[in-house]
Amino acid sequence: MDKHTLFSSFGKWISPINFQQLQEQVTNLRQDAYTKKLTTEAYIKLFLLAHLQETDSLAAISDGLLDEGLQQEVGFQAISSSQLSRKHRAIDPTLLSTIFVDLVQRIRYFHRQSFARMPLKIIDSSTIPLDLTRYKWAEFRKTKAGVKLHLRLVYMDRHTTYPDKAVLTPAKEHDRGQLEVLVDDKEAMYVFDRGYIDYERFDRMTDDGYFFVSRLRKNAFVRVLESFSLTDDSPVLSDQMVVIGSPQNRTENVFRLLKVDDTKGNQLLLITNRFDISAEEIADIYRDRWAVELFFKWLKQHVKIKAFYGFDETAVHNQIFLALIVYCLHVLIQLETNSKKRILQISRWLKAALWKPSRVWIRRFDNRSVP
């Protein structure tokens, strides 16, 4: 019998989640102490499915239990929207963040097996706007509220990226303050944009052995120490060794400054502390930063992240971590099947085959016919 036959497609999709480990945490936190049927495990399954199907409301999640396949998966036939709301607000976000971290570790295992080169880690943030009248705890302007997702995204290749670390803060939190949290691997190359410019931190990262490339502001004060030659056909316009900053606030280390054109013909200044690779490679590394923009675009368009099922901070944080878990589960099936299919296509096939045997879903990845 095919090893996938015993799973529904949904069951296969969520199988990387260590529910046994989760149950130990649930017991320690007494998360299900007074729960009769909507256990933490059932909650996670229901809300992952809600993200997958972009379900509009708690009432719609409740109505979805008319599906017999879903009833079999969660172990009950009905649940009220008020029960869903209470559970969503009661779940400790550390439970979901632990699941996210565990899935990332599984993805890293595949990454180490497949890619020998230094990993490329892209750092960026995205603000998720909220209605100030309902989310007063998230106020950051007189008329606006929001939370900010600070993210480290690993770029494996143009087919596969994955969120490696996530930090949720109020929207008013500045990006620069998160570099200390998101930069922790000396065997990686970090890429970030102008919002993270901090000359003192650039010096500290260089002294500590971390590699990075960042965009530099056009009005930055630069003192050129040496210019490097380029080939006639190089897309890089200039390559120089520089010190950055004014005489009163100047870097202690020397850096490499590249001038390049973006796809729209605008000139960009790139700063890096790597002198051991070509200027063209540095330019290519920075161009790969587009992957994090695509990730945030996917997150806002294909899971339930623009509107929330609860108004308190815990409910919002839980929903965001569940969205990240959805993406990681997609990446794991992509890696397990050695597929180059897009995450969106993987998701569409899953929704079409939710309660069918998983072999129906899995065999789509290599275009085999299914009996």
Side-chain angles (χ1 to χ4, degrees), residues 303-319:
V303 287
K304 198 65 179 176
I305 207 75
K306 284 187 174 180
F308 288 86
Y309 300 127
F311 301 132
D312 68 351
E313 187 172 4
T314 296
V316 170
H317 283 206
N318 282 341
Q319 194 163 331

Side-chain angles (χ1 to χ4, degrees), residues 3 6 29 66 91 148 150 181 210 226 250 276 282 311 328 364:
K3 68 178 181 178
L6 298 178
L29 294 171
L66 288 173
I91 291 292
K148 186 176 283 189
H150 303 268
V181 178
Y210 295 103
E226 184 179 352
R250 181 175 291 167
D276 60 320
I282 294 293
F311 301 132
C328 287
R364 288 302 300 249

Side-chain angles (χ1 to χ4, degrees), residues 148-320:
K148 186 176 283 189
L149 173 59
H150 303 268
L151 192 82
R152 189 171 72 198
L153 187 81
V154 177
Y155 181 91
M156 295 174 67
D157 58 35
R158 65 187 183 87
H159 301 289
T160 308
T161 61
Y162 65 91
D164 180 53
K165 194 168 187 176
V167 179
L168 292 170
T169 70
K172 59 186 176 183
E173 180 84 19
H174 199 283
D175 291 346
R176 284 198 305 267
Q178 293 303 315
L179 273 186
E180 298 286 355
V181 178
L182 297 174
V183 174
D184 59 13
D185 182 2
K186 294 181 181 179
E187 300 300 321
M189 179 69 171
Y190 290 93
V191 184
F192 39 85
D193 210 351
R194 291 175 296 181
Y196 296 89
I197 291 176
D198 185 327
Y199 296 163
E200 183 180 345
R201 189 167 282 119
F202 286 179
D203 268 330
R204 220 164 40 240
M205 288 175 66
T206 302
D207 292 340
D208 292 341
Y210 295 103
F211 295 111
F212 71 89
V213 58
S214 172
R215 188 174 168 188
L216 192 64
R217 295 189 182 96
K218 289 183 178 180
N219 63 352
F221 191 93
V222 175
R223 182 161 65 94
V224 179
L225 302 179
E226 184 179 352
S227 294
F228 304 116
S229 60
L230 296 163
T231 60
D232 292 338
D233 59 349
S234 175
V236 177
L237 303 177
S238 67
D239 181 10
Q240 300 170 322
M241 179 190 296
V242 301
V243 173
I244 52 176
S246 65
Q248 295 77 29
N249 181 29
R250 181 175 291 167
T251 57
E252 296 178 359
N253 292 282
V254 296
F255 293 93
R256 189 174 181 184
L257 181 68
L258 276 67
K259 185 181 292 185
V260 300
D261 283 337
D262 66 12
T263 54
K264 297 180 181 179
N266 301 311
Q267 285 192 0
L268 306 180
L269 297 178
L270 305 182
I271 194 80
T272 183
N273 57 357
R274 288 197 68 175
F275 289 84
D276 60 320
I277 57 179
S278 71
E280 291 75 20
E281 287 176 285
I282 294 293
D284 287 342
I285 286 171
Y286 186 80
R287 287 191 190 98
D288 290 336
R289 205 194 70 83
W290 61 267
V292 75
E293 305 290 349
L294 292 181
F295 174 82
F296 283 133
K297 182 179 179 181
W298 185 94
L299 205 65
K300 292 178 179 180
Q301 290 184 348
H302 300 296
V303 287
K304 198 65 179 176
I305 207 75
K306 284 187 174 180
F308 288 86
Y309 300 127
F311 301 132
D312 68 351
E313 187 172 4
T314 296
V316 170
H317 283 206
N318 282 341
Q319 194 163 331
I320 293 171

Side-chain angles (χ1 to χ4, degrees), residues 36-38 78-88:
K36 292 184 177 179
K37 63 179 179 181
L38 186 55
I79 196 76
S80 68
S81 56
S82 60
Q83 286 175 290
L84 290 170
S85 178
R86 285 195 296 272
K87 192 69 173 181
H88 191 43

Side-chain angles (χ1 to χ4, degrees), residues 12-23:
K12 171 62 181 173
W13 180 61
I14 64 171
S15 63
I17 298 176
N18 189 336
F19 283 109
Q20 182 176 349
Q21 177 181 294
L22 172 69
Q23 188 55 49

